């Protein structure tokens, strides 16, 4: 029984190691089913897209993780989590991305990501001390901007949806968005990516605006859209582009 347990443990560790392989490496399983897909994966995805200069590989990793979590696509998540760590995304930032997306992609999707990330962190020997604390000192709040946002949302929905309105103020914009473990710019990249990936274009106007206020440039947002076309599909990106374009044009006036 002891030998069996050791064998199973070794197989489990081997499987975990395989699960966090570099996604840029050739995968025979793809070629055995769809040779053309493997060609596009090697030549277009990793041979071109990930090397485009408009967005750093770190930012591409953040956008990709946001899309995978938002779409609950756990099959490739181990590879891309490990790849993100190699590309400079900190364990604490991954922890914050998952936490952030519980609110923007749903609790269940975040919990699925927790289960996958836990295995990756175990293989990489990432300790809890490397993660963001549950109750950090929050970033300073832009009181004027938040008061304006709360007033607009309150006037539109407060009387009919008081609970959502209150949680939006107290939990999202006076707590979650102020957590220091993920820079506001990166939170905006995560949010925009998740909205595009889940087809929630109605919310993009506000969050593209917030993203630009947080330091994302129109060129970076445009390049994120290019990246997301591969990870969220062309239809979602083509639905999002007119919304982002409208924000860009209004900001430029």
């Amino acid at each position: 029984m002891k030998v069996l347990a050791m064998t199973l443990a070794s197989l489990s560790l081997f499987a975990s190691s395989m699960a966090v392989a570099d996604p840029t490496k050739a995968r025979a399983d793809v070629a055995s089913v769809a040779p053309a897909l493997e060609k596009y994966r090697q030549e277009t995805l990793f041979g071109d897209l990930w090397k485009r200069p408009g967005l750093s590989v770190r930012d591409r990793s953040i956008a990709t993780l946001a899309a995978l979590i938002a779409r609950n696509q756990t099959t490739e998540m181990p590879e891309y989590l490990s790849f993100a760590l190699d590309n400079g995304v900190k364990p604490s930032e991954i922890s914050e991305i998952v936490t952030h997306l519980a609110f923007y992609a749903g609790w269940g999707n975040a919990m699925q990501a927790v289960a996958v990330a836990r295995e990756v962190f175990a293989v990489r020997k990432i300790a809890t001390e490397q993660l963001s604390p549950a109750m950090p000192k929050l970033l300073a709040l832009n009181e004027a901007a938040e008061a304006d946002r709360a007033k607009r949302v309150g006037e539109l929905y407060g009387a009919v949806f008081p609970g959502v309105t209150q949680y939006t103020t107290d939990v999202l914009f006076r707590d979650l968005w102020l957590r220091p473990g993920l820079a506001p710019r990166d939170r905006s990249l995560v949010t925009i990516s998740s909205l595009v990936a889940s087809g929630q274009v109605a919310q993009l106007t506000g969050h593209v605006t917030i993203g630009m206020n947080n330091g994302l440039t129109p060129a970076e947002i445009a390049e994120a859209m290019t990246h997301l076309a591969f990870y969220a599909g062309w239809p979602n990106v083509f639905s999002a582009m007119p919304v982002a374009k409208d924000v860009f044009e209004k900001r430029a006036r």
Side-chain angles (χ1 to χ4, degrees):
M1 290 295 292
K2 189 173 182 181
V3 172
L4 177 60
M6 290 175 65
T7 302
L8 290 173
S10 297
L11 288 172
S12 176
L13 182 60
F14 175 75
S16 296
S17 298
M18 290 297 291
V20 294
D22 185 341
T24 65
K25 303 300 183 187
R27 287 173 56 174
D29 56 332
V30 178
S32 68
V33 174
L37 179 59
E38 176 59 20
K39 177 178 180 292
Y40 286 128
R41 193 183 73 84
Q42 289 192 40
E43 295 180 5
T44 306
L45 204 66
F46 292 109
D48 186 10
L49 180 70
W50 277 82
K51 296 178 180 179
R52 285 172 60 88
L55 209 60
S56 70
V57 290
R58 177 186 175 277
D59 287 348
R60 290 185 187 278
S61 285
I62 288 173
T64 305
L65 288 180
L68 293 176
I69 295 170
R71 294 165 67 85
N72 198 19
Q73 294 175 328
T74 56
T75 300
E76 292 205 311
M77 211 178 287
E79 292 179 334
Y80 281 102
L81 280 165
S82 190
F83 195 40
L85 289 164
D86 292 339
N87 287 337
V89 183
K90 299 175 184 176
S92 58
E93 292 171 327
I94 289 174
S95 175
E96 287 293 328
I97 289 169
V98 173
T99 302
H100 190 86
L101 288 175
F103 296 89
Y104 284 91
W107 217 263
N109 286 346
M111 290 302 175
Q112 288 286 85
V114 165
V116 178
R118 181 176 176 273
E119 296 300 319
V120 175
F121 284 4
V123 171
R124 304 280 291 231
K125 295 181 169 54
I126 293 169
T128 54
E129 292 76 18
Q130 294 174 259
L131 308 180
S132 297
M135 298 178 64
K137 181 180 179 181
L138 300 179
L139 300 174
L141 176 68
N142 185 329
E143 294 284 357
E146 171 53 19
D148 179 65
R149 184 211 60 79
K151 180 174 182 293
R152 286 185 286 105
V153 173
E155 289 173 349
L156 284 170
Y157 305 117
V160 183
F161 306 103
V164 176
T165 303
Q166 194 63 48
Y167 281 127
T168 301
T169 294
D170 294 347
V171 181
L172 264 66
F173 287 102
R174 288 185 174 268
D175 189 347
L176 180 70
W177 276 85
L178 301 179
R179 290 179 57 82
L182 194 64
R185 173 196 177 275
D186 295 339
R187 285 193 188 277
S188 284
L189 179 59
V190 168
T191 306
I192 291 168
S193 298
S194 70
L195 293 175
V196 173
S198 56
Q200 300 290 338
V201 296
Q203 297 295 311
L204 268 179
T205 298
H207 280 288
V208 169
T209 301
I210 291 171
M212 292 175 70
N213 290 342
N214 285 337
L216 283 173
T217 67
E220 288 172 330
I221 295 172
E223 188 60 32
M225 296 278 189
T226 303
H227 189 86
L228 289 167
F230 288 86
Y231 288 94
W234 253 252
N236 281 333
V237 166
F238 263 82
S239 295
M241 286 193 301
V243 181
K245 181 173 179 285
D246 184 60
V247 175
F248 296 161
E249 289 174 347
K250 287 179 178 176
R251 293 272 294 214
R253 290 172 191 165

